Each structure stands twice: as structure tokens, then as C-alpha cells.
Amino acid sequence: MSIHLRPEIEAGLRAKAAALGVSVDALIANSVQAYLSGTLAAPRRVSSRERSAEMAWAANPDARFIGKWVVLQGSQVAASGPNPKQLYDEVRARGDSSPFLIFVSDEEEPFAGGWID
């Protein structure tokens, strides 16, 4: 049997097999066997959180935060600034496992916020 894969998928398989010190055929055979036997790792479960307070704030943001990224915890601003990745990392380091991050704009646009996890 042969399979034709996109070049980037084939390259990824080759790299993974090399990192594990096995052939691509062995990597695929082991992966298929794990799938068929149900021994694959369970998906990571992320708890769902009520976000109505964050959504309400985002619908009517404080004008002081226009042009900035904001991390919300409920209706409170936990952090704000120009760099979303820095804010996210800062809030995660303080213990919030699922920061709610938005960009506050003065233009009318669809809401495009959420959390990164």
C-alpha cells in the first residue's frame, strides 16, 4: 500500500521519525496501532467559563483603553498595553490559565476578541 501526502506533511513525518530514531514506516505503523487500540492520549480538557461580564465590557469599553490590547477578568481590566503576547504571558504568569484578550478600537467593527489557550 502507498499513500501520497502533501510535501509538508511528509517532511513532518520524516522529522518526527528521525527525532524518535525510527523509520517513517515504523512511526506510521505505531501511530495507526495506537489509534486502533484506543491508546492515544486523551484530548486536553479546558474548563468552560462564563464570559458574559467580559462580553458586556467589550460591547461598551472604557475610552481610556482605545487603541490598546486589554486582558479582562470579568468586568475588570487585568492588564493593558500595546503588545498582546506580553500581556497574555504576564497574566498567565499571575495564574490566569485562560486570559480573555481583546483589542479596543474606536471604530465600529465586529467584536473579535477571545482567549488564547
Side-chain angles (χ1 to χ4, degrees):
M1 172 197 249
S2 64
I3 312 171
H4 297 283
L5 301 171
R6 292 193 323 251
E8 64 272 15
I9 293 174
E10 187 173 342
L13 285 171
R14 289 186 191 286
K16 179 72 172 181
L20 295 172
V22 298
S23 70
V24 173
D25 288 343
L27 175 67
I28 292 170
N30 290 340
S31 298
V32 169
Q33 183 59 40
Y35 173 78
L36 293 174
S37 67
T39 59
L40 290 177
R44 183 174 67 104
R45 301 281 182 218
V46 177
S47 65
S48 164
R49 192 188 300 184
E50 172 60 41
R51 297 292 191 169
S52 60
E54 288 91 344
M55 298 299 280
W57 191 96
N60 189 21
D62 186 324
R64 295 178 295 166
F65 297 102
I66 291 175
K68 296 180 183 176
W69 287 93
V70 174
V71 176
L72 298 172
Q73 290 177 330
S75 60
Q76 301 298 311
V77 174
S80 68
N83 185 323
K85 176 70 171 134
Q86 182 180 2
L87 292 174
Y88 175 80
D89 291 341
E90 175 187 321
V91 174
R92 290 279 311 240
R94 291 192 308 222
D96 186 345
S97 64
S98 184
F100 189 91
L101 178 70
I102 64 168
F103 180 76
V104 181
S105 174
D106 61 349
E107 298 177 22
E108 290 216 15
E109 57 189 30
F111 174 72
W115 51 98
I116 304 171
D117 226 5

